[in-house]
Amino acid sequence: MPITLASNNYGKSRVRVVKVTRHADRHDLAELTVNVQFEGAFDAVHLSGDNSSVLPTDTMKNTVNALAKAWSGEQIEEFGSQLADHFLGNNPQVSRVRIEIGQIEWTRIAQSAFMRGSEEKRTTRVIATPATVEIESGIENLVVLKSAGSAFEGYKKDRYTTLKETTDRIFATAITANWIYRISQVAFGPCWREARAAMLKTFVERDSPSVQHTAYAMGEAVLRAVDDITEIRLSLPNKHCLPIDMAAFGLDNRNEIFVPTDEPHGLIEVSLQRR
Amino acid sequence: MPITLASNNYGKSRVRVVKVTRHADRHDLAELTVNVQFEGAFDAVHLSGDNSSVLPTDTMKNTVNALAKAWSGEQIEEFGSQLADHFLGNNPQVSRVRIEIGQIEWTRIAQSAFMRGSEEKRTTRVIATPATVEIESGIENLVVLKSAGSAFEGYKKDRYTTLKETTDRIFATAITANWIYRISQVAFGPCWREARAAMLKTFVERDSPSVQHTAYAMGEAVLRAVDDITEIRLSLPNKHCLPIDMAAFGLDNRNEIFVPTDEPHGLIEVSLQRR
Amino acid sequence: MPITLASNNYGKSRVRVVKVTRHADRHDLAELTVNVQFEGAFDAVHLSGDNSSVLPTDTMKNTVNALAKAWSGEQIEEFGSQLADHFLGNNPQVSRVRIEIGQIEWTRIAQSAFMRGSEEKRTTRVIATPATVEIESGIENLVVLKSAGSAFEGYKKDRYTTLKETTDRIFATAITANWIYRISQVAFGPCWREARAAMLKTFVERDSPSVQHTAYAMGEAVLRAVDDITEIRLSLPNKHCLPIDMAAFGLDNRNEIFVPTDEPHGLIEVSLQRR
Amino acid sequence: MPITLASNNYGKSRVRVVKVTRHADRHDLAELTVNVQFEGAFDAVHLSGDNSSVLPTDTMKNTVNALAKAWSGEQIEEFGSQLADHFLGNNPQVSRVRIEIGQIEWTRIAQSAFMRGSEEKRTTRVIATPATVEIESGIENLVVLKSAGSAFEGYKKDRYTTLKETTDRIFATAITANWIYRISQVAFGPCWREARAAMLKTFVERDSPSVQHTAYAMGEAVLRAVDDITEIRLSLPNKHCLPIDMAAFGLDNRNEIFVPTDEPHGLIEVSLQRR
């Protein structure tokens, strides 16, 4: 059987850029990390070493910088679309471009001064072809913890099960969520904030019988809150905080002292859609 | 439109385990990091909080430990299959299980002493259903560099292109490769070593007109070297080493001094198959 | 010349603990990482393998957990002192104990729910002997950026100098500061907040002719704001945001678009004291 | 009491450089990360914003690059000394310069191709004044593990001690060692290799009653092996591999299956000298 090129893509990852927008009364600040990836008619590059169709990844980086200047500094979804449009418009050899952007959180502390926020990121992914565009928005690494209203019991047990059932545990997770809009022009900022608020409200207010149940409820809350979102995926690590057995010290640990652990961790993923 | 659960999966990630096999004349050592993920009939967990079908992720961790004791300590592909078989055999609610294993490199320095090798990992991914099993093997983060035989010229230029063409650059990358076997029983160890050797030989011996061309050539070499591999994917970051312009210092940098950079980086991905 | 044991210390690092304090109307949350280190009469351990004086580091970890239960959950300086007192009181072989604590930032979002804050940490270091105690408080990784009011000009130049003088650059840094109190009992919480506020106010309000000048001014502001602080050390990386030259694209980058870089970075350290 | 500048230093950290030395029959490769730090007469910079004595940290970076061209590509201790000499010779305002260099491990796989080795680094620190120079060499992160010949028993116990005594445990550590030479001109390469070999031989061959005892023995072996070393410091984390209790699964874990953990970890530090 002959060997064939089944698929290929190439691009530039981790292009970092800071944009300062200088208003009369204040500066605005945006810090982004951008990935650009191309698919298309690149067989000759791979098979015969003919580079004539290859826009260098260094040029992709330069383009991110150049277009950042024209960008409003506001919605990353719009910047992603502008990049996708530019690359498709100037590169007929490209059949599909994927732009991923993560925005770092800076909090204003003065007219032209800022403090780094949490490791939470606002994200977008724009996938475009000459005929179509799909825009995802999302959140990465929104870390939350509740110390009440979380249980885990009634689960399946086998010979390797040692976990104790509990009606009161710590539930800590790092929310990563990605959602797809029905249309390519929505009010990205307000939609993003409403989706985020819906997830947080559900996490806080609703009792959790399992991470799965809470993950589903959070997705449902987003779909109920924002009509233009048609689909959402959530990925929730269970960042275990294990109660420490203090019987050996003659102490009774009444759910007060825990050891937080990074590994191993549970991982719960769920996607919801309208149909 | 009603909201529906489109898909879901759950499991345990980053289960770390060390196995010491105590032979009469020496110890063998294996250090693994294992991920377990289930898909199946878990709608009630998400929708009504009924946990009766949920094997706890803590039990998954315990199972990895328990089955590590029975495992030979040799091929991680076999350990992955044993885990998949165990989970499917005892959990009719599970329709699909995914086991991912990464093995850390330890080099023997005495009968029962070892030194940590590079950050390269041997990897496997076993995806099994009650009817099927697919076994991937792979390599993660095999970092290599060549200081001769790499060029990049003749590429497309636009108004944002500032990169200089070169017939002599440093080519540094971290090879990640994953391949699929035709059948579920092969000599995993020898196949893995042959695939690795084929990639290294190609990287070293073949002139590189682009990362793309080298990536394809490496994939082709693996498919030619190991008959039982039907498909391979490679992911090669271009870990740029940029020549430093020393004209301002009155010095002529003849491809001697470079600054290695982590970000941004190129990213070249390719998959090849027989058909 | 004979070989001698010049110094030694041992302990446990990265002991992580979460404490939930369950009030009637709310939960409080503290997440700490604790290091414990002993110096003392441990020559026999090193020279003859006699472990009788060695309190295991595992016991240090257990002690951190046990004493966390009795701790108020409020000032980490007090917890550090309690640990030091405990260890010195029960281990006459120990001549000096060092406790380091870093507190992770959690922000309340409900009565028993929290969101992870920035990577800034509140820190303390308690160094105690049977006769003395020295308490340091500090801040680690408070990341700030100002896009106006920062210059760097008039510096020394030599044949390797290519940096352009500027009257308007971005100044970004990650503040790490440690200060020593005159006495071992102060109002640790208010003092810490005043010290932090003094540094931020200086960073924001005062024009910066160099990182050095700002570092000194920040230290001076802390000493002026909090009488009980006798000495302060600051360590400020210069997290360079480099303006991107867009002349090649036919664009004029008026201090709008920058590339933030992690390496290399400047590093400015200064200590101030009263005397 | 007036506020005074007690001490200050500044410099550039994480200057990365790759040097390719092009011999007729092969290329040699060196990858370094360099830190440069100055102390001296910089009061005016801090107090009045007068930058005339400040050599920019950007110039330090350029100097590292420029001097890397002239360097032989062989001993990092010599490169450190050359940098220190250059900076002191051209900057009378500097009273003390500190150069730290870490060399990354690359293994030759062909005449001009290399594979990344382990995360072990060869290091040096050169501290020079106009009158003196002190050269340290070292190793960072040499990770080793022995699965036989390590015990820990007979230690002190208190009410918080739960650790079980053992005559057979895994001993895993990441060796960091730094040593000082009697004179500033030694055969740095051979001395470094002998010191490293002496530590490994001791780790492997000598039974370990405690990490402390092994740390001392390793230091002693280095001082015995290399006459020109007058002092050595070792820092050994105890990278715990905890045996997993399988009694609950009906299995007997005979020191076969362990969970390796990153935190918390023991930390053992010792220094030895001749006198």
Side-chain angles (χ1 to χ4, degrees):
Chain A
M1 284 181 298
I3 293 167
T4 59
L5 178 63
S7 71
N8 68 87
N9 66 81
Y10 85 101
K12 198 73 156 192
S13 289
R14 298 198 55 75
V15 179
R16 294 179 62 185
V17 62
V18 161
K19 180 182 173 91
V20 176
T21 309
R22 296 170 178 268
H23 302 285
D25 64 336
R26 68 176 199 286
H27 291 176
D28 286 344
L29 180 74
E31 179 173 352
L32 311 181
T33 301
V34 182
N35 299 338
V36 176
Q37 210 69 7
F38 283 4
E39 290 175 39
F42 296 107
D43 286 26
V45 190
H46 294 82
L47 301 177
S48 67
D50 171 0
N51 291 335
S52 60
S53 63
V54 179
L55 189 74
T57 67
D58 188 74
T59 301
M60 295 176 182
K61 176 203 69 180
N62 287 348
T63 307
V64 169
N65 290 331
L67 270 64
K69 190 173 145 69
W71 174 51
S72 68
E74 289 169 3
Q75 308 307 323
I76 54 176
E77 292 84 354
E78 292 173 2
F79 186 42
S81 297
Q82 289 158 9
L83 284 165
D85 285 352
H86 170 89
F87 287 126
L88 287 173
N90 290 276
N91 293 279
Q93 79 279 25
V94 174
S95 58
R96 188 169 175 274
V97 61
R98 185 179 77 227
I99 309 290
E100 296 168 331
I101 306 177
Q103 181 166 19
I104 283 171
E105 200 181 80
W106 286 98
T107 305
R108 179 183 302 282
I109 55 174
Q111 286 178 337
S112 56
F114 305 86
M115 189 183 305
R116 191 76 148 71
S118 77
E119 295 299 290
E120 176 189 345
K121 282 189 194 159
R122 178 173 166 180
T123 61
T124 188
R125 190 170 74 172
V126 177
I127 296 178
T129 69
T132 64
V133 60
E134 186 188 81
I135 301 184
E136 266 187 32
S137 295
I139 285 175
E140 198 178 292
N141 204 30
L142 168 53
V143 179
V144 289
L145 178 154
K146 60 193 283 187
S147 54
S150 173
F152 188 51
E153 38 180 2
Y155 45 76
K156 178 169 178 172
K157 290 157 203 79
D158 71 13
R159 64 179 290 208
Y160 297 128
T161 301
T162 54
L163 186 74
K164 300 271 184 297
E165 296 188 87
T166 177
T167 58
D168 189 11
R169 65 171 183 176
I170 286 186
F171 178 4
T173 190
I175 301 169
T176 293
N178 295 283
W179 54 85
I180 301 177
Y181 293 107
R182 184 192 317 276
I183 48 178
S184 62
Q185 290 293 344
V186 301
F188 292 110
C191 284
W192 188 86
R193 285 187 290 276
E194 280 170 46
R196 183 178 183 277
M199 287 189 286
L200 284 178
K201 185 172 156 65
T202 303
F203 178 80
V204 166
E205 295 185 357
R206 195 136 156 193
D207 282 349
S208 172
S210 66
V211 178
Q212 284 89 332
H213 195 260
T214 301
Y216 182 84
M218 288 166 67
E220 193 180 32
V222 170
L223 291 174
R224 287 199 200 289
V226 187
D227 282 346
D228 286 329
I229 298 177
T230 57
E231 188 177 328
I232 182 169
R233 299 188 312 276
L234 291 110
S235 179
L236 300 191
N238 192 345
K239 295 170 78 76
H240 308 294
C241 288
L242 308 173
I244 295 170
D245 184 353
M246 296 192 170
F249 316 151
L251 296 173
D252 180 20
N253 180 11
R254 302 182 182 188
N255 257 352
E256 294 157 275
I257 306 295
F258 303 83
V259 55
T261 56
D262 288 341
E263 56 184 17
H265 63 83
L267 181 61
I268 314 302
E269 299 185 314
V270 61
S271 72
L272 293 82
Q273 59 188 206
R274 301 181 200 273
R275 62 170 163 194
Chain B
M1 285 182 296
I3 293 167
T4 59
L5 178 63
S7 71
N8 68 88
N9 65 82
Y10 85 101
K12 198 73 154 192
S13 289
R14 298 197 57 73
V15 179
R16 293 178 63 185
V17 63
V18 161
K19 179 182 174 89
V20 176
T21 308
R22 296 169 179 268
H23 302 286
D25 63 337
R26 70 178 198 285
H27 290 176
D28 287 343
L29 180 75
E31 179 173 352
L32 311 181
T33 300
V34 182
N35 300 337
V36 176
Q37 209 70 7
F38 283 4
E39 290 176 38
F42 296 108
D43 287 25
V45 189
H46 294 84
L47 301 177
S48 68
D50 171 0
N51 290 336
S52 60
S53 63
V54 179
L55 189 75
T57 67
D58 187 74
T59 301
M60 296 175 180
K61 176 203 69 182
N62 287 347
T63 308
V64 169
N65 291 330
L67 271 64
K69 191 172 143 67
W71 173 52
S72 67
E74 290 169 2
Q75 307 307 325
I76 55 175
E77 292 85 353
E78 292 172 2
F79 185 42
S81 297
Q82 289 158 9
L83 284 165
D85 285 353
H86 170 89
F87 287 126
L88 287 173
N90 290 276
N91 292 279
Q93 79 279 25
V94 174
S95 58
R96 188 168 176 274
V97 61
R98 185 178 76 228
I99 309 290
E100 296 169 330
I101 305 178
Q103 181 166 19
I104 284 170
E105 200 180 81
W106 286 97
T107 304
R108 179 184 303 281
I109 54 173
Q111 287 178 336
S112 55
F114 305 87
M115 189 184 302
R116 189 76 148 71
S118 78
E119 293 301 290
E120 176 188 347
K121 282 188 194 160
R122 179 172 165 181
T123 60
T124 188
R125 190 170 74 172
V126 177
I127 296 178
T129 69
T132 63
V133 60
E134 186 188 82
I135 300 185
E136 266 187 31
S137 295
I139 285 176
E140 198 178 293
N141 205 31
L142 168 53
V143 179
V144 288
L145 178 154
K146 60 193 281 186
S147 53
S150 173
F152 188 51
E153 39 180 0
Y155 45 77
K156 177 168 177 172
K157 290 159 203 77
D158 71 12
R159 65 180 288 211
Y160 298 128
T161 301
T162 54
L163 186 74
K164 300 272 184 295
E165 297 187 88
T166 176
T167 57
D168 188 11
R169 64 172 183 175
I170 285 186
F171 178 5
T173 190
I175 301 170
T176 292
N178 296 283
W179 53 86
I180 301 177
Y181 293 108
R182 184 193 317 277
I183 49 177
S184 62
Q185 290 293 344
V186 300
F188 292 111
C191 284
W192 188 87
R193 284 187 291 275
E194 280 171 45
R196 184 178 183 278
M199 288 190 286
L200 284 178
K201 186 173 156 65
T202 304
F203 177 80
V204 166
E205 295 186 357
R206 194 135 157 194
D207 281 349
S208 172
S210 68
V211 179
Q212 283 89 330
H213 194 259
T214 301
Y216 182 84
M218 289 166 67
E220 193 179 31
V222 170
L223 291 174
R224 287 199 200 287
V226 188
D227 281 347
D228 286 330
I229 297 178
T230 58
E231 188 178 328
I232 183 169
R233 300 189 310 278
L234 290 111
S235 180
L236 300 191
N238 192 345
K239 296 171 77 77
H240 309 294
C241 287
L242 308 173
I244 295 170
D245 184 352
M246 296 191 169
F249 315 151
L251 296 174
D252 180 19
N253 180 11
R254 301 182 181 186
N255 257 353
E256 294 158 275
I257 305 296
F258 303 83
V259 55
T261 57
D262 288 342
E263 56 184 19
H265 63 82
L267 181 60
I268 314 302
E269 298 184 316
V270 62
S271 72
L272 292 82
Q273 59 190 205
R274 300 181 201 275
R275 62 170 162 190
Chain C
M1 286 182 296
I3 293 168
T4 60
L5 178 63
S7 71
N8 68 86
N9 66 82
Y10 85 100
K12 198 74 154 191
S13 288
R14 299 198 55 75
V15 179
R16 295 179 60 185
V17 62
V18 161
K19 179 182 173 89
V20 176
T21 308
R22 295 169 179 270
H23 301 286
D25 63 336
R26 70 177 198 285
H27 291 175
D28 287 343
L29 180 74
E31 179 173 352
L32 312 181
T33 301
V34 182
N35 300 337
V36 176
Q37 210 70 7
F38 282 5
E39 290 176 40
F42 297 108
D43 286 25
V45 189
H46 295 81
L47 301 177
S48 67
D50 171 0
N51 290 335
S52 60
S53 63
V54 179
L55 189 74
T57 66
D58 187 74
T59 301
M60 294 175 181
K61 176 204 69 182
N62 287 347
T63 307
V64 169
N65 290 331
L67 269 65
K69 190 171 145 68
W71 174 51
S72 67
E74 291 169 1
Q75 308 307 324
I76 55 176
E77 292 85 353
E78 292 173 3
F79 186 42
S81 296
Q82 290 158 9
L83 285 165
D85 285 352
H86 170 89
F87 287 125
L88 287 173
N90 291 277
N91 292 279
Q93 78 278 26
V94 174
S95 58
R96 188 169 176 273
V97 61
R98 187 178 75 227
I99 309 289
E100 297 169 329
I101 306 177
Q103 180 166 18
I104 283 171
E105 200 180 80
W106 286 98
T107 306
R108 179 183 301 282
I109 54 174
Q111 287 178 336
S112 55
F114 306 86
M115 189 183 304
R116 190 76 147 72
S118 78
E119 294 300 290
E120 177 188 345
K121 282 188 193 160
R122 178 172 165 181
T123 60
T124 188
R125 189 170 73 172
V126 177
I127 296 179
T129 69
T132 64
V133 60
E134 186 189 83
I135 301 185
E136 265 187 33
S137 296
I139 285 176
E140 197 179 293
N141 204 30
L142 167 53
V143 179
V144 289
L145 178 154
K146 60 194 281 186
S147 54
S150 174
F152 189 50
E153 39 179 1
Y155 44 78
K156 178 168 176 172
K157 290 159 204 76
D158 70 13
R159 63 180 289 210
Y160 299 129
T161 301
T162 54
L163 186 75
K164 301 269 185 299
E165 297 188 89
T166 176
T167 57
D168 189 11
R169 64 173 184 175
I170 286 185
F171 178 4
T173 190
I175 301 168
T176 292
N178 295 282
W179 54 86
I180 301 178
Y181 293 107
R182 184 192 317 276
I183 48 177
S184 63
Q185 290 292 345
V186 302
F188 293 110
C191 284
W192 188 86
R193 285 186 291 275
E194 279 169 47
R196 183 179 184 275
M199 287 189 287
L200 284 177
K201 185 172 156 66
T202 303
F203 177 80
V204 166
E205 295 186 356
R206 195 135 155 193
D207 281 349
S208 173
S210 67
V211 178
Q212 283 90 331
H213 195 260
T214 301
Y216 182 83
M218 289 166 67
E220 192 179 34
V222 170
L223 290 175
R224 287 198 200 290
V226 187
D227 281 347
D228 286 329
I229 298 178
T230 58
E231 188 178 329
I232 182 168
R233 299 190 311 277
L234 290 110
S235 179
L236 300 191
N238 192 346
K239 297 170 76 77
H240 308 294
C241 288
L242 309 173
I244 295 169
D245 183 353
M246 297 192 169
F249 317 151
L251 295 174
D252 180 19
N253 180 13
R254 302 182 180 188
N255 258 352
E256 296 157 274
I257 306 296
F258 303 83
V259 55
T261 57
D262 288 341
E263 56 183 20
H265 63 82
L267 181 61
I268 314 302
E269 299 185 315
V270 62
S271 71
L272 293 82
Q273 58 188 208
R274 301 181 200 275
R275 62 170 161 192
Chain D
M1 285 183 296
I3 293 167
T4 59
L5 178 63
S7 70
N8 68 87
N9 65 82
Y10 85 101
K12 198 75 154 190
S13 289
R14 298 198 56 74
V15 179
R16 294 179 62 185
V17 62
V18 161
K19 179 181 174 90
V20 176
T21 308
R22 297 170 178 268
H23 302 286
D25 63 336
R26 70 178 198 284
H27 290 177
D28 287 342
L29 180 74
E31 179 173 352
L32 311 181
T33 301
V34 181
N35 300 338
V36 176
Q37 210 70 8
F38 283 5
E39 290 176 39
F42 297 107
D43 287 25
V45 190
H46 295 83
L47 301 177
S48 67
D50 171 0
N51 291 335
S52 59
S53 63
V54 179
L55 188 75
T57 67
D58 187 75
T59 301
M60 295 175 182
K61 176 203 70 181
N62 287 347
T63 307
V64 169
N65 290 330
L67 270 64
K69 190 173 145 67
W71 174 51
S72 67
E74 291 169 4
Q75 308 307 323
I76 55 175
E77 292 84 355
E78 293 172 1
F79 186 41
S81 296
Q82 290 158 9
L83 284 165
D85 284 352
H86 170 89
F87 287 126
L88 287 173
N90 290 276
N91 292 279
Q93 79 279 24
V94 175
S95 58
R96 188 169 176 273
V97 61
R98 187 178 76 227
I99 309 289
E100 297 169 329
I101 306 178
Q103 180 167 19
I104 284 170
E105 200 180 80
W106 286 97
T107 304
R108 179 183 303 282
I109 54 175
Q111 287 179 335
S112 56
F114 305 87
M115 189 184 304
R116 190 74 149 73
S118 77
E119 294 300 291
E120 177 189 345
K121 282 188 194 161
R122 177 172 165 180
T123 61
T124 188
R125 189 170 73 173
V126 177
I127 295 179
T129 70
T132 64
V133 61
E134 186 189 81
I135 300 184
E136 266 187 32
S137 296
I139 285 177
E140 197 178 293
N141 205 31
L142 167 54
V143 179
V144 288
L145 178 154
K146 60 194 280 185
S147 53
S150 173
F152 189 50
E153 39 180 0
Y155 44 77
K156 178 169 176 170
K157 291 160 202 76
D158 71 12
R159 64 179 291 209
Y160 298 130
T161 301
T162 54
L163 186 74
K164 300 272 184 296
E165 296 188 89
T166 177
T167 58
D168 188 12
R169 65 172 182 176
I170 285 186
F171 178 5
T173 190
I175 300 169
T176 292
N178 295 283
W179 54 86
I180 301 178
Y181 293 107
R182 185 191 317 277
I183 48 176
S184 62
Q185 290 292 344
V186 300
F188 292 111
C191 284
W192 188 86
R193 285 187 290 275
E194 280 171 45
R196 182 178 184 276
M199 287 190 286
L200 285 177
K201 185 173 158 66
T202 304
F203 178 79
V204 166
E205 296 186 358
R206 194 136 156 192
D207 282 349
S208 172
S210 67
V211 178
Q212 283 90 331
H213 195 260
T214 301
Y216 181 83
M218 289 166 66
E220 193 179 32
V222 170
L223 290 175
R224 287 199 201 287
V226 188
D227 282 346
D228 286 330
I229 299 178
T230 57
E231 188 179 329
I232 182 169
R233 299 188 312 276
L234 290 111
S235 179
L236 301 190
N238 192 345
K239 297 171 76 78
H240 308 295
C241 287
L242 309 172
I244 295 170
D245 184 352
M246 297 191 169
F249 317 152
L251 296 173
D252 180 19
N253 180 14
R254 300 181 182 188
N255 257 353
E256 295 158 277
I257 306 295
F258 303 83
V259 54
T261 57
D262 288 341
E263 55 183 19
H265 63 83
L267 181 61
I268 313 303
E269 298 184 316
V270 63
S271 72
L272 293 81
Q273 57 189 208
R274 300 181 200 273
R275 63 167 160 194

